[in-house]
Amino acid sequence: MDGEELTEQETALYDRQIRVWGANAQRRLTKAHILVSGIKGTVAEFCKNIVLAGVGSVTLMDDRLVNEEALNANFLILPDENAYSGKTVAEICCESLKDFNPMVRVSVEKGDLSTLGTDFFEQFDVVVIGYGSRATKKYVNEKCRKLVKRVAFYTVDCRDSCGEIFVDLQDYKYMKKKLEETVECELNFPSFQEAISVPWKPIPRRTAKLYFAMRVIEVFEESEGRKHGECSLLDLARVLEIKKQLCEANSVSESHIPDSLLERLITGTTEFPPACAIVGGILAQEVIKAVSGKGDPLKNFFYYDGEDGKGVMEDISNSFTS
């Protein structure tokens, strides 16, 4: 990713951001290849931001045919039925993103992430899974971790006005300014499987309730064979039953996860556009930091709740149990 120097055209186009993070960081960005799966509102915001930032290429995966549901919060799909009839979400979003920055290569890859081998993921520097099942997140994260080169792995989910970002940079080194000098720092990240398998009891009670609530929703969707967002108020009784089981298994009180929060997550299946902009913006910022190697990365969960307007970072790892 340290490849060639920036061209004269790139230097002119990205002049303002080069002044912020430097030519070397911009050079790394222009050589970065990013895979993005699942393009709804929050991921659309993320894609727009990284394309404007000038990454090398973005490969989109989302084989859903465009329908009225796909229009929700996704500004990359114009509300013109004649324009998107018979096309997939990835195809329409690809066309829109090319208009944002012609210097970024945007393409479409068809297929199911859970059937792709390690070689497929080797061509990317960053992999972002949007609105994926728990099984898909585990599978892709494991494939990325088996590669010789380090592939930055992210998941993002947004329900109603709540958002979650997960980050796995494996063993990550980056530069940080301390007073007048620049020092090298290192962080070790757990895998997705390790992070969601941490026993709940040792985790501090001040930890975001969304961390626990999202685990309940993941288990519900997996056990009931549902796709992301395929739930309603009719499912609340089953969701609360799963909450009770998980709390008992982890020896914590059921008050750990408010019923009202779970109800919001299963009834607010559409995204709240302002929350999409915030969570998508944070995700883009983190990917830019990881690619450029500049600035403290997020470790390893980020939560946003539009109800109180707060965003919090949570470091969930086995350090709680050691």
Side-chain angles (χ1 to χ4, degrees):
M1 289 175 61
D2 286 336
E4 305 163 359
E5 294 297 319
L6 292 170
T7 65
E8 192 174 320
Q9 188 179 5
E10 288 170 334
T11 302
L13 180 62
Y14 304 127
D15 175 67
R16 288 170 65 184
Q17 56 205 50
I18 288 172
R19 295 170 190 267
V20 175
W21 51 58
N24 285 338
Q26 187 63 48
R27 184 159 47 87
R28 293 189 188 101
L29 279 173
T30 59
K31 307 305 174 189
H33 303 294
I34 299 176
L35 174 68
V36 183
S37 172
I39 311 162
K40 296 184 182 180
T42 302
V43 173
E45 288 281 356
F46 162 74
C47 289
K48 176 258 294 180
N49 289 335
I50 59 168
V51 165
L52 289 174
V55 297
S57 71
V58 178
T59 301
L60 306 176
M61 293 187 73
D62 195 326
D63 292 343
R64 292 177 300 140
L65 290 176
V66 177
N67 54 24
E68 192 171 334
E69 184 272 334
L71 294 174
N72 169 58
N74 190 341
F75 61 86
L76 295 177
I77 305 175
L78 298 176
D80 178 2
E81 191 171 344
N82 295 323
Y84 63 70
S85 179
K87 293 186 177 181
T88 67
V89 170
E91 288 169 339
I92 294 296
C93 292
C94 178
E95 293 172 10
S96 297
L97 286 169
K98 286 178 179 178
D99 292 335
F100 279 96
N101 188 347
M103 294 188 70
V104 176
R105 298 185 302 280
V106 186
S107 61
V108 173
E109 181 77 32
K110 292 183 180 290
D112 182 353
L113 273 176
S114 61
T115 64
L116 298 171
T118 307
D119 291 347
F120 172 77
F121 299 103
E122 192 170 18
Q123 61 188 304
F124 302 103
D125 302 295
V126 177
V127 172
V128 176
I129 308 296
Y131 319 95
S133 67
R134 184 169 70 158
T136 298
K137 295 174 194 175
K138 288 180 185 177
Y139 176 84
V140 176
N141 189 212
E142 287 170 4
K143 292 296 180 186
C144 291
R145 280 183 155 254
K146 287 179 179 177
L147 295 169
V148 174
K149 75 170 188 176
R150 183 182 61 81
V151 174
F153 176 83
Y154 299 82
T155 72
V156 61
D157 196 348
C158 200
R159 299 167 192 256
D160 189 60
S161 59
C162 298
E164 175 188 71
I165 296 171
F166 168 75
V167 183
D168 176 16
L169 302 181
Q170 301 179 43
D171 296 325
Y172 179 66
K173 294 180 180 178
Y174 63 100
M175 304 307 293
K176 179 180 178 179
K177 259 197 167 184
K178 282 191 175 181
L179 299 177
E180 297 301 315
E181 60 177 349
T182 301
V183 297
E184 186 177 71
C185 304
E186 184 172 359
L187 284 175
N188 296 309
F189 288 72
S191 68
F192 179 74
Q193 173 63 39
E194 290 169 338
I196 65 170
S197 300
V198 173
W200 291 0
K201 194 170 182 61
I203 298 177
R205 283 194 65 85
R206 58 171 174 73
T207 300
K209 302 300 183 187
L210 270 169
Y211 168 78
F212 306 102
M214 293 297 275
R215 307 291 74 82
V216 172
I217 300 297
E218 280 178 347
V219 171
F220 165 76
E221 289 179 341
E222 189 171 270
S223 63
E224 298 296 313
R226 307 284 184 88
K227 291 182 180 178
H228 179 279
E230 285 186 350
C231 47
S232 69
L233 191 57
L234 296 174
D235 298 308
L236 183 58
R238 175 62 180 143
V239 169
L240 295 180
E241 184 183 325
I242 290 173
K243 179 190 91 163
K244 182 178 180 180
Q245 293 170 355
L246 290 176
C247 287
E248 288 177 351
N250 284 278
S251 303
V252 297
S253 166
E254 289 183 52
S255 63
H256 230 65
I257 314 168
D259 291 354
S260 58
L261 177 56
L262 291 171
E263 185 174 337
R264 280 178 64 200
L265 295 177
I266 64 171
T267 56
T269 52
T270 57
E271 295 173 281
F272 185 50
C276 294
I278 292 169
V279 178
I282 294 291
L283 179 58
Q285 170 186 288
E286 289 307 313
V287 167
I288 290 169
K289 284 196 289 187
V291 171
S292 66
K294 300 189 78 171
D296 289 312
L298 187 159
K299 182 176 185 283
N300 54 340
F301 284 94
F302 173 82
Y303 291 98
Y304 175 77
D305 188 343
E307 201 165 81
D308 59 17
K310 292 180 180 177
V312 295
M313 183 173 69
E314 299 290 2
D315 185 353
I316 309 291
S317 65
N318 284 319
S319 62
F320 292 129
T321 59
S322 58

